[in-house]
Amino acid sequence: MELKQVFANEIVKHSNELLTLLDVKKQIEIPKYNKQGDLAFPCFVLAKHVKENPANTAKKIAIKMKHPLFEQVVANGPYLNCFLNKTVVSKNVMNTILQQGSRFGSLKIGNGENITIDFSSPNIAKPFSMGHLRSTVIGNSYANILEKCGYNPVRINHLGDWGTQFGKLIAAYYYWGDDEQIEVNPIQELLNLYVNFHKEANNDQSLETEARKWFLKLEKRDVKATKLWNWFKEESLKEFKKIYDLLDVYFDSYDGEAFYNDKMDETVNILKSKGLLTKSDGADVVRLDEHDLPPCLIKKSDGATLYATRDLTAAIYRYNKYQFAKSIYVVGHEQSLHFQQVFLVLKKLGLNWAGNMQHLPFGFILKDGKKMSTRKGKVVLLEKVLEEAVMLAAEKIKDRNPNLENQSEIAKDVGIGAVIFHDLKTDRQHNVEFSLEEMLRFEGATGPYIQYTHARACSILRKSEKVMAGNIIGLEEENSWSVIKQLYNFPFNIQHCLDQGKPSILASYLLDLCREFNKYYANQQILTEDEQQEQRIALVHCTAVVIKEGLRLLGIKAPEQM
């Protein structure tokens, strides 16, 4: 249990439960000075309940506070100051990590239940841009965290492989396409065609009409249109899989939008049979007036289905196939209204699992403060970014450690890890400013800083002849204490990530752990031969275990040398 939670439990118990556990926990502080203890609780609100001086309330509760993890709890004016038992806490956490290894922090709360998680979902026939990085790495990390907590994540890549844009692309192909160029560099040439179509369509509206005709042919399975569409998809998936391999991301399903084409009529019929469809300007909609939301469009006046129809169909299909306990969509915040509407329509259908749908929104990746746009050609290709990041990482590693073995493999781990961490350290709901220079710094809040700290810990362990196997008696050195507290709270941070759907919580935790470990390393001779040497080496080992596992959950490798 998290240290704050232990302290909060005792306060609630010894104050006649006048405050809830949540209220108490929110008020617990970390004292600024070590002499004030490890945790502190202000008694002002509690004293108000019993109508007495807060200092008196603090004195009364302090006398009662006894726990194996507490050295002592003292009243300091209106505050309860808790001094944790360093030996007991350090012995507890280090022996647990030594015994469990990478299993440390695992939570058995999922009971093997399926959770579908829909993420990445790029559009075929377009390059995999930096704009798709966020969904990919947030979704991948959250799937890892779900697994760590005992769930079975079903990773779904709902490809954007249908829609009017394919009519535009086919029209552009027939107007300006060059087979030889397309065969050499398919994705870039298709992007050029797509951008050129929009440029020309600004001056020639007939192009839009032509595009609609081609998409109608595609919907009717016209041989030429279907052949081109299949070719676009195959080439796109080849390119996408190169990037997924670099990022070490995999999926259990690549069923995209087109997969649901023959399943949507059934969804529309179910909505009709439940009396949920009404007409609005010739379109079929489900009204959501009672929620103060605009109607959910199901069919256009020309009979064409929409994203909502497809997502409703996909949700029903996924539940029937996977019997999920929860279904999660890692999609940008601009789609928040869409998912609100889809989830409410599922509830209106009376589906007992409809309350288990969750949208995890995220902000944009910005370049020079502006959103990237494929339509205007203002796009940064993710593959190029990853290649450049690996190249820059190789240069930095060569400068720092020219004799290092396996430099190319380590540069790949560091460069790609830097890109992933730069994204994940930011709260998913905030925007991220793209900056390769910022990503690859070895100091500060970066992926290379955390990887370097892990490599430093591994270097110490290589120099030591001690083999850690448990039965550690506990550390008593003052400067090790901040590292111990960080290690103790690793499982809590996993739980917090799960509850909030935010890998950024884990990224922040790893930065804090590394800062405290590096302070410890700077101030303590770890390999000095004395009675505490084995405990210090155990602390280094435990830190390396937790950093490596934390990075794995973020989707980042942990090199042992850098």
Side-chain angles (χ1 to χ4, degrees):
M1 190 182 289
E2 185 219 0
L3 295 169
K4 277 188 180 180
Q5 184 94 1
V6 175
F7 188 39
N9 280 342
E10 291 299 303
I11 293 168
V12 170
K13 184 167 77 176
H14 296 299
S15 60
N16 299 320
E17 300 186 357
L18 291 170
L19 296 178
T20 67
L21 185 62
L22 186 62
D23 287 337
V24 171
K25 201 172 167 187
K26 279 181 182 174
Q27 293 179 61
I28 291 174
E29 303 169 7
I30 306 295
K32 190 173 180 180
Y33 303 105
N34 289 337
K35 65 182 181 181
Q36 294 174 321
D38 301 297
L39 300 165
F41 176 75
C43 292
F44 301 105
V45 176
L46 200 54
K48 198 172 181 180
H49 276 280
V50 292
K51 297 179 180 175
E52 71 175 3
N53 185 297
N56 289 340
T57 303
K59 282 177 189 173
K60 286 178 183 177
I61 297 175
I63 295 166
K64 302 174 189 174
M65 296 276 279
K66 311 287 180 193
H67 191 280
L69 294 181
F70 302 164
E71 185 72 50
Q72 61 174 338
V73 177
V74 299
N76 182 2
Y79 281 82
L80 281 172
N81 285 6
C82 177
F83 294 81
L84 293 163
N85 187 315
K86 294 179 175 59
T87 305
V88 171
V89 173
S90 62
K91 178 181 177 181
N92 178 317
V93 69
M94 286 200 291
N95 281 312
T96 302
I97 296 171
L98 291 172
Q99 288 158 16
Q100 295 182 357
S102 62
R103 290 181 293 111
F104 179 63
S106 298
L107 305 174
K108 297 177 182 178
I109 58 180
N111 299 316
E113 292 178 320
N114 288 339
I115 291 185
T116 59
I117 178 163
D118 179 329
F119 66 101
S120 193
S121 309
N123 294 318
I124 69 163
K126 291 183 188 176
F128 201 120
S129 73
M130 279 295 291
H132 281 97
L133 177 70
R134 299 221 71 192
S135 177
T136 305
V137 298
I138 294 169
N140 183 57
S141 179
Y142 196 55
N144 291 340
I145 289 160
L146 287 167
E147 201 164 40
K148 183 80 171 172
C149 295
Y151 292 97
N152 177 41
V154 180
R155 297 163 165 89
I156 296 173
N157 196 341
H158 186 71
L159 294 168
D161 59 1
W162 203 249
T164 54
Q165 71 266 32
F166 294 102
K168 295 175 182 179
L169 197 54
I170 293 170
Y173 171 80
Y174 277 112
Y175 277 114
W176 310 293
D178 182 315
D179 282 3
E180 286 184 15
Q181 288 183 353
I182 290 171
E183 282 170 15
V184 171
N185 193 354
I187 297 299
Q188 185 57 50
E189 285 306 312
L190 290 173
L191 173 64
N192 292 343
L193 288 173
Y194 185 73
V195 171
N196 196 51
F197 177 91
H198 284 280
K199 183 180 169 185
E200 295 295 329
N202 284 334
N203 303 316
D204 183 356
Q205 290 300 309
S206 68
L207 285 174
E208 294 285 358
T209 305
E210 187 77 11
R212 282 193 290 274
K213 284 180 185 174
W214 272 113
F215 183 58
L216 188 60
K217 286 183 180 182
L218 186 59
E219 285 190 307
K220 291 180 176 178
R221 299 182 184 276
D222 172 82
V223 175
K224 281 185 180 178
T226 303
K227 186 179 178 183
L228 277 174
W229 176 80
N230 278 321
W231 180 74
F232 294 160
K233 186 170 179 177
E234 285 166 15
E235 292 298 330
S236 297
L237 281 174
K238 282 182 202 170
E239 294 300 308
F240 293 165
K241 284 182 177 177
K242 285 183 196 172
I243 292 163
Y244 291 135
D245 287 345
L246 283 172
L247 294 171
D248 201 19
V249 171
Y250 72 93
F251 295 93
D252 301 296
S253 166
Y254 280 90
D255 292 339
E257 293 176 34
F259 177 78
Y260 298 100
N261 282 345
D262 61 354
K263 300 171 179 62
M264 287 187 287
D265 284 347
E266 188 180 348
T267 303
V268 174
N269 289 335
I270 293 170
L271 290 166
K272 277 180 185 171
S273 70
K274 296 277 186 180
L276 293 174
L277 284 187
T278 59
K279 289 286 182 185
S280 175
D281 295 327
D284 288 326
V285 305
V286 177
R287 300 198 72 85
L288 299 169
D289 300 2
E290 68 274 30
H291 299 285
D292 292 324
L293 290 175
C296 183
L297 288 166
I298 302 299
K299 262 191 172 184
K300 290 182 183 177
S301 55
D302 63 2
T305 52
L306 293 109
Y307 283 122
T309 331
R310 212 170 293 273
D311 279 341
L312 289 167
T313 306
I316 293 166
Y317 174 85
R318 289 171 190 175
Y319 184 77
N320 290 336
K321 182 170 182 177
Y322 301 111
Q323 299 292 300
F324 56 71
K326 197 171 188 179
S327 188
I328 297 167
Y329 298 80
V330 185
V331 182
H333 58 55
E334 69 274 21
Q335 295 297 322
S336 293
L337 173 61
H338 166 76
F339 283 110
Q340 264 187 292
Q341 291 174 313
V342 168
F343 298 165
L344 286 169
V345 172
L346 290 169
K347 286 181 181 177
K348 280 194 158 199
L349 281 170
L351 299 166
N352 59 7
W353 47 266
N356 301 325
M357 315 294 286
Q358 184 181 12
H359 174 213
L360 291 185
F362 55 83
F364 299 122
I365 289 187
L366 305 177
K367 190 168 189 300
D368 303 322
K370 295 177 182 175
K371 187 187 171 188
M372 300 170 188
S373 168
T374 311
R375 183 173 293 190
K376 295 176 183 174
K378 292 180 180 177
V379 64
V380 176
L381 304 185
L382 179 55
E383 188 174 15
K384 298 294 182 192
V385 170
L386 295 176
E387 286 172 1
E388 193 172 343
V390 170
M391 184 183 70
L392 289 173
E395 290 173 6
K396 292 200 172 196
I397 289 167
K398 192 172 182 180
D399 287 344
R400 283 171 165 261
N401 193 350
N403 300 318
L404 181 65
E405 295 180 7
N406 303 318
Q407 284 193 32
S408 60
E409 190 62 30
I410 292 168
K412 181 181 166 187
D413 292 345
V414 172
I416 291 169
V419 174
I420 294 172
F421 190 83
H422 183 71
D423 188 298
L424 293 182
K425 74 176 182 180
T426 306
D427 185 302
R428 63 174 163 76
Q429 301 208 58
H430 298 162
N431 294 332
V432 177
E433 181 65 39
F434 170 71
S435 167
L436 258 184
E437 188 179 323
E438 170 68 22
M439 291 175 193
L440 281 155
R441 287 192 297 111
F442 276 64
E443 303 80 25
T446 67
Y449 170 72
I450 293 174
Q451 290 172 314
Y452 188 68
T453 303
H454 176 263
R456 172 176 276 171
C458 290
S459 173
I460 296 167
L461 296 174
R462 283 194 296 274
K463 292 173 187 172
S464 166
E465 296 177 359
K466 302 282 184 186
V467 178
M468 296 297 106
N471 300 317
I472 296 300
I473 60 172
L475 264 166
E476 295 174 1
E477 296 166 339
E478 184 64 39
N479 57 7
S480 68
W481 182 229
S482 57
V483 182
I484 292 289
K485 285 192 288 185
Q486 289 291 340
L487 294 174
Y488 190 98
N489 285 328
F490 180 56
F492 163 73
N493 278 273
I494 300 294
Q495 173 82 63
H496 197 26
C497 275
L498 177 73
D499 294 343
Q500 298 293 316
K502 291 183 177 181
S504 57
I505 292 166
L506 179 55
S508 295
Y509 164 81
L510 288 174
L511 286 170
D512 289 341
L513 172 60
C514 289
R515 287 181 191 116
E516 295 305 335
F517 177 77
N518 284 317
K519 281 184 206 169
Y520 174 66
Y521 174 84
N523 292 303
Q524 178 67 56
Q525 289 291 322
I526 293 167
L527 297 176
T528 300
E529 293 189 12
D530 57 23
E531 68 281 358
Q532 285 278 288
Q533 184 196 38
E534 189 174 354
Q535 325 304 318
R536 290 193 296 271
I537 294 167
L539 180 63
V540 174
H541 177 89
C542 292
T543 302
V545 167
V546 170
I547 293 174
K548 183 176 181 178
E549 179 61 2
L551 285 173
R552 183 192 74 79
L553 292 171
L554 294 178
I556 298 171
K557 296 284 196 308
E560 294 189 3
Q561 296 183 73
M562 275 174 72

